[in-house]
Amino acid sequence: MLGQGLVSSAGVPGAGPGASIQSRPLPIESRFDEAKATQAACLLLQLRGGRMHYLKLLKLLYLADREALLRWGIPITWDRYVAMDQGPVPSNAYRLVVEDLPKPAWAKHISPPLGDYEIELRGEPATTDRLSAAEEQLLREVFARYGSKNRWDLVRIMHELPEWRDPRGSALPISMREIFQGAGWEEADIQAVLAELDSVQSGRDILSGRM
């Protein structure tokens, strides 16, 4: 469960005072698609000229996943989300940025935080073969809408999202149900979409040999 194993980590830039991250390198949750998240992040970085503050990148990834959920009922990266002091965050992407853990796809194409906590593209260009044409277009739409804003403008926008709750220096899980509810979805529609997501995830687990 997301709330377990979290400790205070004051001094993590962009996360806010007393923000929480994993205390030790734990495995990335199985449903998260690191390769696809890497391709999404690389596309956003390319649109920004190849370099971006990691807080801004994480906000753009969250907004893209959120829009995909509300538009199609399915996320792009299959991340898990948490409310942190500076707004909602895709937690596994956050861990790829700030933690020393195995990240074969991410580390191949994206640097660790550099000066002023910016990250940049590195190595050979990432493909977009794991992204559908619709997902790639959505990422471009998100960047067109939010890419010119600085990270603190994005923080203010994220604080206005209905699913965000002030964690007061910790990290609170944000469920997909909360995102749907905040957008005004009817309960019957939420249940139908969540059931479909469970079915899709079960299929992904079978194909990947996790069941």
Side-chain angles (χ1 to χ4, degrees), residues 19-180:
S20 299
I21 60 174
Q22 295 287 352
S23 58
R24 60 190 181 281
L26 298 176
I28 293 291
E29 284 90 351
S30 63
R31 73 176 191 171
F32 176 61
D33 191 331
E34 181 195 342
K36 195 172 183 183
T38 298
Q39 291 185 7
C42 285
L43 177 56
L44 292 168
L45 283 165
Q46 289 167 7
L47 293 170
R48 181 63 172 74
R51 188 174 176 123
M52 190 187 309
H53 194 286
Y54 81 69
L55 175 62
K56 180 173 180 176
L57 178 63
L58 291 171
K59 299 311 180 190
L60 294 176
L61 286 171
Y62 179 85
L63 289 167
D65 254 9
R66 184 180 192 275
E67 180 60 27
L69 276 170
L70 298 179
R71 188 177 298 188
W72 304 315
I74 191 167
I76 296 174
T77 69
W78 290 86
D79 211 324
R80 296 181 184 272
Y81 316 111
V82 292
M84 300 183 77
D85 286 346
Q86 305 297 354
V89 171
S91 66
N92 287 306
Y94 175 73
R95 293 181 62 203
L96 289 173
V97 171
V98 303
E99 291 189 18
D100 182 16
L101 47 74
K103 40 190 165 185
W106 187 275
K108 182 178 180 181
H109 298 290
I110 300 174
S111 75
L114 305 171
D116 196 30
Y117 301 100
E118 293 193 333
I119 56 179
E120 65 181 12
L121 295 172
R122 70 178 182 183
E124 62 186 50
T127 66
T128 57
D129 60 308
R130 296 183 71 90
L131 297 170
S132 69
E135 289 170 333
E136 187 172 341
Q137 179 59 33
L138 188 152
L139 286 160
R140 292 180 182 276
E141 290 175 16
V142 167
F143 187 84
R145 182 172 181 182
Y146 299 105
S148 62
K149 300 183 183 300
N150 66 45
R151 60 187 182 272
W152 303 118
D153 289 334
L154 288 176
V155 167
R156 285 188 285 272
I157 290 170
M158 305 295 266
H159 282 171
E160 295 175 358
L161 295 176
E163 65 268 22
W164 182 76
R165 295 164 291 155
D166 187 348
R168 300 185 182 280
S170 183
L172 301 176
I174 297 175
S175 68
M176 292 182 183
R177 171 180 289 279
E178 289 174 299
I179 294 174
F180 294 137

Side-chain angles (χ1 to χ4, degrees), residues 186-209:
E186 297 290 338
E187 179 60 26
D189 294 330
I190 294 174
Q191 291 185 12
V193 169
L194 291 178
E196 181 64 22
L197 285 169
D198 284 342
S199 177
V200 171
Q201 179 57 39
S202 295
R204 292 172 75 232
D205 287 342
I206 291 171
L207 290 173
S208 65

